Amino acid sequence: MAGIPVPHRVGEPQMEADFTPGTLDEGLVDRLSRFLEESEPVLFSPGTVPDPFSDSQDMYVRVGIMTDGTWVWQLAWADYVQYHQVAPPSNFLDHIISLNFTAPELTIERTLEIAEAEGLPLPE
């Protein structure tokens, strides 16, 4: 188990919770990971941070904040799903399934609104 940021609806407070590897149905791994990775970036960093689900000092996850216009999550969730089969919260997973694992296109204006609602730095 590892305490990591929980995916949340836009504008809701960011929280952390413990999640357990191996809790996601294997049949969902690829489609879910792709959705989490290919949605709209709100904030992206070229860096990485240590993987909280790995004992290896050589395992890292990507840094960034992603959205589908309704929910916001850390880009690292794509790695948690792909490499460790960590199941996200059920209401978030249900939302993604309802979209048939296809994130809607967002305008730059909507993405900036989400960044502001999340308290992220905005470009000048």
Side-chain angles (χ1 to χ4, degrees), residues 84-123:
H84 305 292
Q85 294 182 340
V86 176
S90 60
N91 55 346
F92 179 49
L93 183 56
D94 291 345
H95 168 74
I96 294 169
I97 291 169
S98 77
L99 295 173
N100 197 28
F101 297 91
T102 304
E105 295 279 333
L106 299 180
T107 64
I108 291 172
E109 293 78 15
R110 177 64 180 140
T111 305
L112 290 172
E113 288 171 3
I114 292 168
E116 186 173 3
E118 291 295 309
L120 299 173
L122 296 173

Side-chain angles (χ1 to χ4, degrees), residues 27-104:
L28 297 175
V29 169
D30 289 338
R31 292 190 315 166
L32 178 57
S33 177
R34 193 168 29 259
F35 175 92
L36 295 169
E37 180 175 9
E38 294 178 355
S39 293
E40 191 69 35
V42 180
L43 181 68
F44 188 75
S45 170
T48 58
V49 296
D51 184 338
F53 294 105
S54 176
D55 293 332
S56 171
Q57 294 180 352
D58 296 328
M59 285 291 294
Y60 294 90
V61 295
R62 294 168 289 170
V63 177
I65 299 174
M66 310 297 286
T67 188
D68 65 359
T70 303
W71 286 78
V72 178
W73 60 91
Q74 300 287 321
L75 174 59
W77 266 97
D79 299 329
Y80 303 150
V81 165
Q82 186 66 47
Y83 300 122
H84 305 292
Q85 294 182 340
V86 176
S90 60
N91 55 346
F92 179 49
L93 183 56
D94 291 345
H95 168 74
I96 294 169
I97 291 169
S98 77
L99 295 173
N100 197 28
F101 297 91
T102 304

